[in-house]
Amino acid sequence: MSTNYYAFGPFPGGNPDGEGLHIGQVAAGRRFLFRAHNTMGITTLPDWEHFLRTTDVAIRNEYGRDVSADEMIETMKETTDREGFPLRARFRSDDEHRYVTSGGHAFCRREFF
């Protein structure tokens, strides 16, 4: 099972009547998969942290549940599950659409669900 998260606000893609700006996805047993937005300069975890903390933004998951910036950032940084077991990486190799930062955070440059 997976859950996608979206940001809403006065920025490109943040239209509250639309789907929102895709932040990324959490899936059982795996680390968070980030959506990179190169045109907005959001390509690393610190970029997302800054954006979510300094922008007038509402965060919501695909099921309509509101999420605070602190909760979202905590979810993005998780490396172990509730029982303390390590979460697996999403992918290891780079290609033109995917990359892993030096902190081990996986990003995808194109939309995914």
Side-chain angles (χ1 to χ4, degrees):
M1 184 173 149
S2 65
T3 303
N4 287 281
Y5 293 87
Y6 300 90
F8 298 89
F11 42 82
N15 183 350
D17 296 326
E19 188 173 81
L21 183 69
H22 195 192
I23 299 170
Q25 179 189 78
V26 66
R30 301 213 178 257
R31 291 182 69 178
F32 194 83
L33 176 58
F34 294 83
R35 173 64 164 88
H37 295 280
N38 292 3
T39 59
M40 296 177 69
I42 304 173
T43 60
T44 65
L45 172 60
D47 294 339
W48 268 118
E49 285 185 82
H50 178 76
F51 179 83
L52 295 174
R53 290 192 191 281
T54 62
T55 307
D56 184 17
V57 62
I59 304 166
R60 199 169 307 124
N61 72 19
E62 66 184 294
Y63 306 108
R65 181 179 167 270
D66 291 329
V67 179
S68 71
D70 288 340
E71 183 182 351
M72 183 76 257
I73 292 166
E74 183 179 315
T75 297
M76 295 160 92
K77 291 181 173 183
E78 287 177 344
T79 58
T80 59
D81 65 16
R82 290 182 184 149
E83 288 77 40
F85 293 102
L87 296 173
R88 295 184 309 269
R90 287 298 190 108
F91 44 78
R92 298 177 191 269
S93 64
D94 294 342
D95 70 21
E96 65 181 282
H97 301 291
R98 301 183 298 187
Y99 62 95
V100 179
T101 66
S102 60
H105 301 104
F107 278 78
C108 187
R109 290 184 179 97
R110 64 181 176 198
E111 192 57 62
F112 60 89
F113 303 99

